[in-house]
Amino acid sequence: MDNFELRFLTKEEIYVNQYDEDETTALDVLQKYCTGVAARNTDFSCLTGGLRSGSSAFYYLESNYSNGRFYFMGDYANYNSCDQYQLVESYKGHLPIRPVLYFPNRKVSKENLNFDWEQKIYWWEYGEYPQFVLDGNNALERNIIEVLNQKLCMQSLDKTGKTYCFYQSKKNAPCSINYVSEYVYEGKKYVPLVANGIKTGALLSTGEKIVDFKLYWLKVEPIVWLYDEEKDLFISEHALVSGPSFDFVKKGDGFEATEMYEYIHNHLKRDIIPSRVMEEDKSSLLDSSKTLKKYVYKNYGRRG
Amino acid sequence: MDDFELRLLTKEEAYIDDEDENETTALEVLRKKDNVSADNTDLSCLTGSYTDANDTSFYSLQPDLSHKKFYYVDDDCYIDDKEFYSRFNAVRPVLYFLNSTAYRDHLIYDKHRLTRLKYGEYPQYVLNENSNEKKIMNELNKKLIEQTLTKTGKTYCFYYGESGKRPSMCYGIEYLYKGKKYMPFISTIYQGADIYLSTGDTIDPYRIYWLKVEPITWLYDENTALFISEKALVSGVGFEFVKKGNNYEATEMYEFLNMHLKQDIIPSRIIKEDKSSLLDGSESLKKYVYKNYGRRG
């Protein structure tokens, strides 16, 4: 994959003034997109502690961190009343992350992008990440859940070798850094996660509340990015993950010294790079999981 | 371990007549302190029992083959009968030793003149998140989803499936963590809002339950030298014929008791030579070799 960078949206990039269009500075693609500047949480974002309002995520914005505070995208219900963003103290963190992706050394070619004729925007699938849970109410997915559960209990699932890093935030408790393995079953990738102390009241995409100690299977899926032609950058359609704060973890008082910076650059940036199935045996991917055992999986950004 | 057999109680062995004591034919030990009734273990609830872990179970008695019915003891200790295919009743096994009286040295007497024996082990009650067991649960969950738990090599067999459908035979894996044995169980069925585990919780689908593998307590009947399990251990087993013939030996219950439960109650063993390091964390346990007697292929 090409050299890319991740960052947050700025206040200006999401600002919409419904009374005076000339004052609106929001990115063109966000003005055209059906949910406007609001974004939906993925289930992974909810399970890692993401707050939400209605169906939209509160997500971080680029801020001046030197004063120990940060901006975040406000309540969707109020987003047309010029209250898109709010300023809070950094320790109140653990909000969802909706990354912006850009390529510093090259211009994006639109030939590789998809065009949505209805909304008249370009979008792209790039990288992958655990996003939404398998739904026990769907007969097909229920069968997969049961097989995955059974195999996990027997510790007989195949790992891809890739791990995802996340901070699981709990109400009134400090965040802890966690790594979770990616598994492959019948050619598809899944990540198991056990809910633990998530009390945000967030509903998952299945319509269910998060239940403590319940085992969820997250499908690893391509990340959908909305392309802004003018600025030549991509905005993640969804808020992907929650948990890290802006607490300082290194010497200094700039963004580079925060837990968030470390997370974005040392973890998330690597985690969106897909694990790969070695080419030589790709044909037998159609076989059952038993034959998958002989495969070798690789991922680029593998941590020790 | 000694040679033993398992069976179910007969109708006569569990029969109590409230109005005429002379009509009561129940085993002596069951007459004491209302022992005809038995509580469910959490595994019994998770595998489909009618009643709660802290409530009296409905447990199966030996069948009446000629009428394709089996008897069971209900929560009021009355005996009733059901069709062969019913699977909501629990299994409360009876154990007896063949050609051995060595158990006598291990009997435990109590002030109520009840005699017990701890013999064999089985997954029984779940770890409780509302106690100091929560930390172990979190550690076990973390290790399970990373597939780094240490297996003892033993598996437990039970029947589990959706209500109204023939349940499938499932195998639970026994793991060792910090010297103790656990079996994970992921519920897939909504059992209803009125079935409670020993923790006071209802059963949530897709939640990971960790069952502690604990010694089985048996009540000793001196007159007959029979041992009756104090708790109803597991549910989900019916009396349908699974082999040719229409005798008890051809039923699913017979097969379960003799081919599975009988092996499953035999403890997995840790090889002696490294026993000292059992006090260490699970990491060092990885180098151990575990064996169990009645291992299935």
Side-chain angles (χ1 to χ4, degrees):
Chain A
M1 283 170 93
D2 306 300
N3 204 12
F4 67 89
E5 291 296 337
L6 297 178
R7 67 162 175 87
F8 294 125
L9 285 161
T10 64
K11 274 189 305 182
E12 293 71 29
E13 284 168 347
I14 62 140
Y15 182 70
V16 176
N17 189 331
Q18 62 172 338
Y19 304 110
D20 185 353
E21 211 174 289
D22 293 339
E23 291 285 312
T24 293
T25 55
L27 293 173
D28 193 48
V29 67
L30 294 182
Q31 291 188 51
K32 288 177 182 168
Y33 190 57
C34 58
T35 62
V37 298
R40 180 184 170 201
N41 268 314
T42 60
D43 290 336
F44 190 50
S45 180
C46 294
L47 286 163
T48 46
L51 290 169
R52 51 132 216 153
S53 171
S55 57
S56 300
F58 294 93
Y59 60 82
Y60 288 120
L61 299 174
E62 199 83 56
S63 305
N64 174 9
Y65 304 94
S66 59
N67 56 9
R69 300 194 290 181
F70 66 88
Y71 287 103
F72 70 92
M73 166 66 194
D75 193 326
Y76 177 51
N78 296 327
Y79 100 90
N80 276 332
S81 63
C82 306
D83 279 338
Q84 285 105 331
Y85 52 84
Q86 297 171 27
L87 188 68
V88 293
E89 304 295 328
S90 66
Y91 62 85
K92 287 182 181 167
H94 320 308
L95 296 182
I97 295 169
R98 184 191 193 184
V100 173
L101 174 141
Y102 62 101
F103 297 89
N105 304 322
R106 71 170 174 94
K107 179 112 177 96
V108 172
S109 160
K110 282 190 285 187
E111 281 172 19
N112 301 324
L113 308 182
N114 307 293
F115 191 71
D116 183 326
W117 287 96
E118 203 175 308
Q119 300 183 74
K120 298 194 170 40
I121 57 166
Y122 284 97
W123 60 276
W124 195 31
E125 288 186 342
Y126 188 78
E128 59 186 25
Y129 205 63
Q131 296 185 54
F132 294 97
V133 296
L134 284 172
D135 184 358
N137 300 313
N138 170 312
L140 269 178
E141 296 201 345
R142 186 188 164 95
N143 283 343
I144 301 171
I145 293 174
E146 286 174 14
V147 176
L148 289 172
N149 285 348
Q150 205 174 6
K151 283 181 165 281
L152 190 74
C153 279
M154 300 177 90
Q155 299 196 156
S156 61
L157 270 174
D158 295 313
K159 288 184 181 178
T160 64
K162 179 176 176 182
T163 57
Y164 292 92
C165 170
F166 64 97
Y167 288 78
Q168 207 162 28
S169 71
K170 299 173 194 172
K171 201 177 181 182
N172 303 325
C175 265
S176 53
I177 194 162
N178 290 285
Y179 294 94
V180 65
S181 290
E182 182 185 73
Y183 293 96
V184 64
Y185 173 65
E186 292 191 339
K188 293 193 174 165
K189 298 170 190 171
Y190 302 94
V191 164
L193 200 70
V194 179
N196 188 358
I198 304 294
K199 308 279 185 204
T200 58
L203 295 180
L204 298 175
S205 58
T206 55
E208 290 161 354
K209 278 187 180 171
I210 297 170
V211 178
D212 254 3
F213 295 107
K214 186 168 168 175
L215 174 63
Y216 295 96
W217 285 98
L218 291 141
K219 294 173 274 188
V220 175
E221 293 164 305
I223 304 168
V224 173
W225 304 88
L226 311 173
Y227 179 58
D228 189 81
E229 266 186 274
E230 198 185 328
K231 290 271 187 89
D232 194 28
L233 50 79
F234 296 89
I235 303 102
S236 165
E237 184 186 27
H238 300 306
L240 295 179
V241 62
S242 308
S245 73
F246 284 90
D247 290 343
F248 293 114
V249 288
K250 282 181 191 165
K251 277 187 182 172
D253 58 0
F255 180 43
E256 289 71 19
T258 63
E259 182 177 88
M260 183 61 77
Y261 181 90
E262 196 169 282
Y263 179 73
I264 300 264
H265 290 86
N266 293 343
H267 301 297
L268 188 61
K269 203 177 152 188
R270 291 166 132 180
D271 288 351
I272 71 169
I273 301 171
S275 53
R276 285 197 310 176
V277 178
M278 291 293 269
E279 294 292 331
E280 60 257 39
D281 252 343
K282 216 169 181 176
S283 59
S284 23
L285 255 178
L286 296 170
D287 296 351
S288 72
S289 62
K290 278 189 180 176
T291 54
L292 283 169
K293 280 189 181 159
K294 64 185 176 189
Y295 293 8
V296 182
Y297 298 98
K298 261 193 180 174
N299 72 308
Y300 287 139
R302 187 168 181 172
R303 279 176 294 268
Chain B
M1 282 170 92
D2 308 295
D3 233 7
F4 67 88
E5 292 294 341
L6 294 180
R7 67 166 172 85
L8 297 178
L9 285 164
T10 63
K11 196 174 146 189
E12 291 71 29
E13 285 168 344
Y15 182 70
I16 286 185
D17 192 320
D18 289 338
E19 280 151 24
D20 185 354
E21 209 177 296
N22 292 328
E23 293 289 313
T24 294
T25 54
L27 294 174
E28 186 71 24
V29 68
L30 297 185
R31 296 185 200 188
K32 292 177 189 170
K33 288 191 95 240
D34 294 334
N35 281 327
V36 168
S37 67
D39 290 346
N40 275 309
T41 60
D42 286 335
L43 181 64
S44 183
C45 292
L46 287 164
T47 46
S49 162
Y50 261 147
T51 59
D52 304 351
N54 292 321
D55 205 352
T56 307
S57 78
F58 288 60
Y59 66 86
S60 302
L61 301 173
Q62 290 199 10
D64 174 1
L65 293 163
S66 54
H67 294 94
K68 285 205 166 184
K69 285 182 176 178
F70 69 94
Y71 297 103
Y72 67 95
V73 175
D74 72 12
D75 55 344
D76 291 321
C77 297
Y78 290 119
I79 294 174
D80 208 340
D81 57 48
K82 261 186 194 166
E83 308 299 330
F84 266 13
Y85 54 78
S86 176
R87 294 163 181 280
F88 298 110
N89 293 71
V91 176
R92 185 192 191 185
V94 175
L95 174 146
Y96 56 99
F97 293 98
L98 305 168
N99 315 319
S100 172
T101 53
Y103 62 82
R104 285 184 181 156
D105 298 335
H106 301 280
L107 295 174
I108 306 159
Y109 301 91
D110 79 1
K111 59 183 177 183
H112 303 293
R113 294 187 296 116
L114 271 174
T115 309
R116 291 182 173 83
L117 176 73
K118 286 194 188 288
Y119 189 79
E121 59 187 26
Y122 203 62
Q124 295 183 55
Y125 291 96
V126 297
L127 287 174
N128 186 353
E129 63 167 296
N130 299 314
S131 71
N132 54 8
E133 291 176 339
K134 185 173 181 173
K135 196 180 163 201
I136 304 170
M137 283 172 75
N138 283 332
E139 287 164 354
L140 286 168
N141 283 342
K142 207 169 171 178
K143 282 182 170 285
L144 184 74
I145 65 169
E146 284 305 314
Q147 297 195 154
T148 54
L149 275 170
T150 311
K151 289 179 185 176
T152 65
K154 181 176 174 182
T155 56
Y156 294 94
C157 170
F158 46 86
Y159 289 86
Y160 188 61
E162 279 180 57
S163 171
K165 287 185 185 171
R166 188 184 167 86
S168 33
M169 191 183 280
C170 297
Y171 291 96
I173 307 289
E174 186 183 74
Y175 292 101
L176 190 75
Y177 182 63
K178 290 186 176 171
K180 293 192 173 166
K181 297 169 190 170
Y182 302 94
M183 184 191 85
F185 186 100
I186 301 179
S187 163
T188 55
I189 305 163
Y190 180 66
Q191 304 272 66
D194 48 354
I195 302 289
Y196 292 88
L197 300 174
S198 59
T199 54
D201 298 325
T202 51
I203 298 166
D204 290 319
Y206 303 120
R207 186 180 157 152
I208 306 176
Y209 293 99
W210 285 99
L211 290 140
K212 296 173 273 190
V213 175
E214 293 164 304
I216 305 168
T217 304
W218 304 87
L219 302 171
Y220 178 53
D221 187 73
E222 215 166 326
N223 297 337
T224 56
L226 291 176
F227 293 88
I228 301 99
S229 168
E230 192 165 27
K231 311 280 183 191
L233 296 179
V234 65
S235 303
V237 191
F239 286 85
E240 286 173 284
F241 294 114
V242 288
K243 282 181 191 167
K244 276 188 182 173
N246 57 356
N247 51 6
Y248 177 52
E249 287 71 21
T251 64
E252 182 178 279
M253 180 62 79
Y254 179 87
E255 196 172 277
F256 176 75
L257 286 174
N258 292 281
M259 291 182 63
H260 302 297
L261 191 62
K262 195 178 158 186
Q263 294 186 56
D264 289 351
I265 70 169
I266 300 171
S268 51
R269 282 199 313 177
I270 297 164
I271 295 286
K272 295 275 178 187
E273 59 256 38
D274 251 344
K275 211 168 183 178
S276 59
S277 20
L278 255 180
L279 296 169
D280 298 350
S282 62
E283 289 298 315
S284 59
L285 284 170
K286 280 185 186 164
K287 63 186 177 192
Y288 293 5
V289 183
Y290 300 97
K291 257 193 180 174
N292 72 308
Y293 287 142
R295 188 168 181 172
R296 279 177 293 267

